Amino acid sequence: MKRVILFKNGTEVDGKVVLVTHSLEELLNAASFKFGIEAKRLFTSQGGEIDDIKLIRDDDILYASEGEEFLNSRYNSSTNSHAQNSCSGKSIYSYATHSLPRSRHNEDWVTLNVGGKLFTTSRATLTNKEPMSMLARMFAEGENGYNMIPSNMDANGAYLIDRSPAYFEPILNYLRNGQLIFDKNINPEGILEEARFFGIESLIPQLEAAIVSSQCPLDKVPLTRRDVVNALITTPFTTELRFQGVNLAGADLSRLDLRNINFKYACLHGCRMVGANLSWCCLERADLSHAKLEGAQLLGVKMLCANLEGASLRSCNFEDPAGSRANMESVNLKGANLEGSNMAGVNLRVATLKNANLQNCVLRAAVLAGANLENCDLSGSDLQEANLRGANLKDAALELMLTPLHMSQIGLSEVPRSAGHSRFQIANPVSRDAVSGAAACN
């Protein structure tokens, strides 16, 4: 049901809101009753006479006449004002403007209240670019008024649209200039949903292409825990499972049974593998930098040239009761935390352990020949029968050792008298005879 605002012809005061019923006669009768006149004709605000009820739109402003021609209320008021001011000697520069009929400026512009944000645009912008869209049908006029009844209006006359203003703004700009432009912090998927809602068909392919181009290729997207679990479930136990060269950066693989899996060249940067079983895995040249492996089982693991810089391996177990040894030759453990780990028999030849934390580690029979242990904390660790020949122990902490080091282990210019000595300086490796002679002198 439509409604109109009625005024007496020639005035813009004491208006009445009247429902539009089935015929023009009924509307004239209502105007006669409201104003106490015999209404015979209806005019629009521009002076056009209404002769068919179908021409009336919702919220139109109409003027009821008793048969006389349309009287422009603005013209009358401006004429009187001009006459008064002329008598007083004042100049009226706006007389010509006020005497003109009311322009269609206000009807050519539309204000939309989208999610609480106001957008003012021309009716042509909403209707020309996409004539079949929802916005075009809301504000395009047909034979029977609007093609689609517009939404309700707020107190200021703006049409209410319950959508996101952030996603609507790029659509409105597209209707204005034909270019898809949006800020980097705007998700194109949100704009796509708005384009589908409003029926902006020409914009949908552009947005879909923008979304595809912005997405990371599937071969570069890191695998997740779910992907690894699915592979574990579907792969027979007797078949070798390979994640060679796969990107697993940041994945949470905690407490999974990952034994015998090939992770060679894999990217496990920042991966969380707390309590996981990685025994007999191949991690050669894998990137495990800053990974979390606290409490992991690493029996017989192969980590040649792997990168574990900054990784956390607290309380890990490398010792295999069956006798297989973990091979970590040339591994990078710079700044890693291995506190309390059981690394008996591990091969760490020429490994980098600079600034690493090896407190209370079990390193019995471990091979650390040529390893860089500069500024490494070995306090409380067990280095019985460990091979430290050629190792760099500059500024290494060796306090509270469980067993004293033997000259044959490292080749020092001076053998410490107790395990409480904390700082050593490396000397050139000595021969077997020189070592025996030095021991006899002591």
Side-chain angles (χ1 to χ4, degrees):
M1 186 70 72
K2 292 182 285 188
R3 64 180 186 178
V4 294
I5 302 173
L6 289 177
F7 292 97
K8 289 178 66 175
N9 191 21
T11 67
E12 286 190 348
V13 295
D14 298 328
K16 307 294 183 182
V17 179
V18 180
L19 288 175
V20 179
T21 53
H22 301 91
S23 66
L24 189 62
E25 288 74 18
E26 292 181 4
L27 184 58
L28 287 169
N29 292 335
S32 299
F33 176 76
K34 294 285 185 181
F35 298 119
I37 62 174
E38 188 179 352
K40 296 181 179 180
R41 302 170 72 183
L42 289 174
F43 297 93
T44 65
S45 58
Q46 286 78 38
E49 184 175 358
I50 301 293
D51 58 5
D52 191 337
I53 194 72
K54 295 180 180 179
L55 298 176
I56 299 175
R57 301 174 301 184
D58 191 27
D59 286 328
D60 266 354
I61 298 175
L62 303 178
Y63 296 85
S65 162
E66 293 184 282
E68 72 276 12
E69 296 296 326
F70 174 70
L71 300 176
N72 192 324
S73 59
R74 294 196 173 192
Y75 175 82
N76 294 337
S77 60
S78 62
T79 302
N80 295 335
S81 175
H82 172 71
Q84 293 174 2
N85 290 325
S86 296
C87 295
S88 62
K90 295 181 180 178
S91 170
I92 304 299
Y93 67 89
S94 59
Y95 173 78
T97 303
H98 282 257
S99 64
L100 292 175
R102 186 178 178 183
S103 75
R104 292 184 54 84
H105 172 79
N106 291 336
E107 291 191 1
D108 291 338
W109 289 86
V110 177
T111 299
L112 306 175
N113 185 338
V114 183
K117 185 175 180 179
L118 297 179
F119 296 90
T120 301
T121 185
S122 67
R123 195 182 301 273
T125 295
L126 300 175
T127 57
N128 292 349
K129 179 72 177 177
E130 288 281 344
M132 298 306 296
S133 69
M134 181 190 297
L135 292 170
R137 288 184 287 119
M138 284 174 63
F139 298 102
E141 298 180 14
E143 294 181 358
N144 299 324
Y146 288 129
N147 293 335
M148 179 179 177
I149 298 175
S151 59
N152 295 331
M153 294 190 293
D154 63 13
N156 297 318
Y159 291 94
L160 293 165
I161 300 178
D162 187 18
R163 304 298 292 182
S164 169
Y167 298 136
F168 177 77
E169 187 171 2
I171 290 177
L172 183 57
N173 289 332
Y174 173 76
L175 294 176
R176 285 169 172 158
N177 52 42
Q179 298 294 323
L180 175 59
I181 301 171
F182 57 92
D183 294 336
K184 292 182 179 179
N185 58 342
I186 300 295
N187 189 342
E189 294 184 9
I191 305 175
L192 176 60
E193 289 303 314
E194 296 301 299
R196 288 171 176 165
F197 176 81
F198 290 110
I200 315 297
E201 296 296 333
S202 63
L203 184 57
I204 293 175
Q206 297 184 46
L207 286 165
E208 290 176 342
I211 291 169
V212 171
S213 63
S214 65
Q215 290 176 341
C216 184
L218 292 178
D219 58 347
K220 294 183 180 180
V221 175
L223 297 184
T224 63
R225 180 185 179 91
R226 171 53 55 190
D227 298 323
V228 175
V229 170
N230 288 340
L232 291 171
I233 292 172
T234 56
T235 304
F237 183 75
T238 56
T239 304
E240 181 186 7
L241 181 58
R242 292 188 178 186
F243 285 99
Q244 186 168 334
V246 171
N247 185 3
L248 286 157
D252 186 359
L253 306 179
S254 299
R255 297 175 179 82
L256 292 181
D257 187 355
L258 304 170
R259 288 176 295 174
N260 300 298
I261 295 178
N262 185 351
F263 289 105
K264 189 174 183 179
Y265 298 109
C267 177
L268 294 157
H269 172 78
C271 194
R272 184 174 177 83
M273 293 184 281
V274 177
N277 190 348
L278 291 158
S279 299
W280 303 290
C281 281
C282 179
L283 289 157
E284 293 182 20
R285 301 183 185 277
D287 182 7
L288 287 145
S289 56
H290 303 285
K292 305 293 183 184
L293 294 99
E294 291 95 338
Q297 296 295 316
L298 295 160
L299 283 62
V301 71
K302 296 179 182 178
M303 284 189 176
L304 276 76
C305 303
N307 180 19
L308 285 97
E309 183 174 350
S312 178
L313 295 96
R314 294 183 60 185
S315 305
C316 289
N317 180 31
F318 292 81
E319 185 178 18
D320 181 12
S324 64
R325 295 193 174 193
N327 189 354
M328 301 176 71
E329 187 170 338
S330 300
V331 72
N332 179 14
L333 284 161
K334 184 177 180 180
N337 187 357
L338 295 112
E339 183 177 355
S341 294
N342 183 359
M343 305 178 72
V346 172
N347 179 10
L348 286 163
R349 188 184 301 273
V350 296
T352 300
L353 290 137
K354 185 176 180 180
N355 299 315
N357 181 4
L358 293 165
Q359 293 184 69
N360 304 313
C361 283
V362 177
L363 290 160
R364 288 192 308 271
V367 179
L368 290 156
N372 183 3
L373 294 161
E374 182 180 346
N375 205 33
C376 181
D377 191 350
L378 289 155
S379 302
S381 58
D382 183 1
L383 286 163
Q384 185 178 0
E385 299 181 1
N387 181 357
L388 289 152
R389 288 184 176 274
N392 178 11
L393 286 161
K394 181 181 179 181
D395 295 325
L398 294 160
E399 301 172 352
L400 305 174
M401 301 290 294
L402 297 181
T403 55
L405 293 177
H406 194 272
M407 283 184 62
S408 60
Q409 292 181 255
I410 48 180
L412 299 175
S413 59
E414 181 180 356
V415 180
R417 296 186 180 275
S418 68
H421 288 70
S422 59
R423 302 295 176 188
F424 291 22
Q425 287 191 353
I426 306 298
N428 293 327
V430 296
S431 65
R432 186 185 300 264
D433 294 336
V435 171
S436 300
C441 293
N442 287 335

